[in-house]
Amino acid sequence: MKALVLSGGTGTRLRPFTYSTAKQLLPVANKSVLQHCLENIRECGIIEVGIVVGDHGEQIAQFIGDGGRFGLNITYIRQEEPLGLAHCIALATDFLGSEDFVMYLGDNVLADGIEEHAEEFRARRPDATVLVSAVDDPRAYGVAELAPDGTVGRLTEKPQEPRSNLAVIGVYFFTAAIHASVAAISPSARGELEVTDAIQHAIEAGGTVTVQRYRGYWKDTGNPEDLLECNRELLSRLETTVEGEVDEETTIEGSVVIAADAKVSRSQLRGPLVIGSGSVVSDSIIGPDVSVGENCVLNGARVAESILLEGVTAHSIPDLRRSIVGRFADLSVADHAQPCRLIVGDHARAEVTP
């Protein structure tokens, strides 16, 4: 089995970060969303991975490389413009060949892995298997309607009147039979080759399409709120690991991860939280639910429920909450005691005044 990871798209809902960073490289618990995907794939015993990339392709290739550090062999496949998920399959035809494959959306986090689902697909080998999860409002998703025998009777993309609450989430398993269905469909009203249309074609052609319900934690990290929620969930799973330097005046509560070469002094650390390598924290109260990236400098800062990317500098921040701060941003607050929230991109300079 091979894997096809989709890492294109413009990520408009995650601006300003996606002006300079691929959305799949944004971190949760100090690890990029794409890295979480690749680790799940490797746990399934899959080695050969194709990554479909768009405008940020060079950045993704620089971060992932040839895949060796993840135990993978990576092939990059360029998609010039976002023309749909099924279009990605068409572009990857030569890479995929006649093998079964898992298609994984690179901005989705499935925190409990997909290994058991891969094993079930390998054992049964239907033409396609879609992972689904019950959601409150399925109108924003592809929706699976089940036939009486439990197979998929129909898939509908973003229906205004859903006939099921089973949302198709970001992982699909296919045999090579899907290629004929991809070749047979036409672009949808929004100009894209929809994977739901390809799967529906397979059903109507007599193929077997099954569902597997994902009962672990799943999140499409498509906007800042989802990114913060996912960060909070993954931090809650960490166990305390202190490899950096912590002085005797610092107190630690809860699960805290401090990477090597980080330094913390005269501070309160309230887990769950993670502090990246090379970061320096002094006279601060950090946490809960905070990810501090590598090489950050926090002095006199109070931060909770936030993601600080690499190289952030924050001085005299009395109460920063539910914030996402881009790489190498510089923050300061002038005589301001009220809680504040910031969503600022890379290399920004932000000063909050009363």
Side-chain angles (χ1 to χ4, degrees):
M1 183 183 290
K2 292 183 176 181
L4 185 65
V5 179
L6 309 191
S7 295
T10 57
T12 55
R13 294 180 296 161
L14 278 167
R15 289 175 180 168
F17 310 105
T18 49
Y19 284 124
S20 54
T21 302
K23 62 181 179 178
Q24 298 85 5
L25 295 183
L26 292 173
V28 285
N30 272 15
K31 186 184 296 184
S32 75
V33 173
L34 182 56
Q35 184 173 340
H36 288 286
C37 298
L38 295 177
E39 289 176 355
N40 282 352
I41 288 167
R42 183 64 187 88
E43 288 172 359
C44 297
I46 298 171
I47 303 297
E48 298 295 330
V49 179
I51 301 182
V52 178
V53 296
D55 291 342
H56 290 292
E58 291 184 5
Q59 188 181 57
I60 290 173
Q62 184 177 16
F63 179 78
I64 300 299
D66 63 3
R69 66 190 176 103
F70 304 106
L72 303 170
N73 296 324
I74 301 293
T75 298
Y76 294 97
I77 302 164
R78 175 76 180 182
Q79 186 184 39
E80 295 299 333
E81 52 184 317
L83 295 177
L85 304 189
H87 181 252
C88 294
I89 297 175
L91 289 175
T93 298
D94 289 343
F95 165 75
L96 295 168
S98 61
E99 293 197 39
D100 298 349
F101 66 99
V102 56
M103 185 170 77
Y104 201 130
L105 306 192
D107 55 0
N108 278 234
V109 171
L110 287 83
D112 296 283
I114 61 169
E115 186 175 4
E116 65 179 89
H117 301 285
E119 290 176 355
E120 182 173 340
F121 174 78
R122 287 179 173 122
R124 299 176 60 188
R125 292 197 72 242
D127 295 293
T129 291
V130 295
L131 264 57
V132 298
S133 181
V135 298
D136 294 333
D137 185 1
R139 290 176 296 177
Y141 303 94
V143 174
E145 301 173 24
L146 301 187
D149 63 357
T151 60
V152 178
R154 182 174 181 79
L155 285 179
T156 308
E157 184 66 27
K158 297 180 173 63
Q160 288 302 304
E161 297 182 3
R163 299 176 63 181
S164 161
N165 71 339
L166 296 178
V168 178
I169 66 175
V171 174
Y172 310 74
F173 294 92
F174 296 111
T175 68
I178 195 64
H179 295 298
S181 293
V182 169
I185 63 173
S186 300
S188 66
R190 60 179 186 166
E192 296 187 4
L193 289 177
E194 311 284 0
V195 72
T196 47
D197 289 346
I199 296 171
Q200 185 63 35
H201 180 275
I203 294 170
E204 293 172 359
T208 301
V209 178
T210 63
V211 299
Q212 294 185 38
R213 298 199 185 205
Y214 193 75
R215 304 190 185 278
Y217 179 84
W218 157 71
K219 180 61 64 176
D220 174 356
T221 58
N223 61 54
E225 292 301 327
D226 291 334
L227 205 65
L228 287 168
E229 180 191 320
C230 188
N231 186 64
R232 183 169 58 250
E233 171 65 26
L234 294 186
L235 286 174
S236 73
R237 298 165 178 244
L238 298 178
E239 296 182 358
T240 295
T241 304
V242 178
E243 297 180 349
E245 180 180 326
V246 180
D247 76 352
E248 294 181 353
E249 296 181 63
T250 295
T251 61
I252 295 177
E253 305 171 13
S255 299
V256 172
V257 174
I258 304 175
D261 299 321
K263 296 182 179 181
V264 183
S265 59
R266 301 179 303 279
S267 296
Q268 297 179 40
L269 304 182
R270 301 173 176 176
L273 65 85
V274 58
I275 298 175
S277 177
S279 288
V280 178
V281 178
S282 59
D283 301 299
S284 297
I285 302 174
I286 309 299
D289 303 321
V290 175
S291 292
V292 178
E294 296 183 353
N295 301 313
C296 294
V297 177
L298 309 182
N299 179 28
R302 182 168 185 164
V303 184
E305 302 173 309
S306 297
I307 300 172
L308 309 184
L309 276 69
E310 176 189 4
V312 169
T313 299
H315 294 287
S316 303
I317 305 291
D319 202 348
L320 186 69
R321 301 184 184 183
R322 299 194 59 75
S323 297
I324 305 178
V325 181
R327 296 177 301 164
F328 304 104
D330 188 350
L331 310 181
S332 63
V333 173
D335 191 25
H336 185 80
Q338 298 299 316
C340 61
R341 184 186 192 201
L342 295 173
I343 304 291
V344 295
D346 293 354
H347 300 280
R349 181 185 176 104
E351 181 175 337
V352 182
T353 58

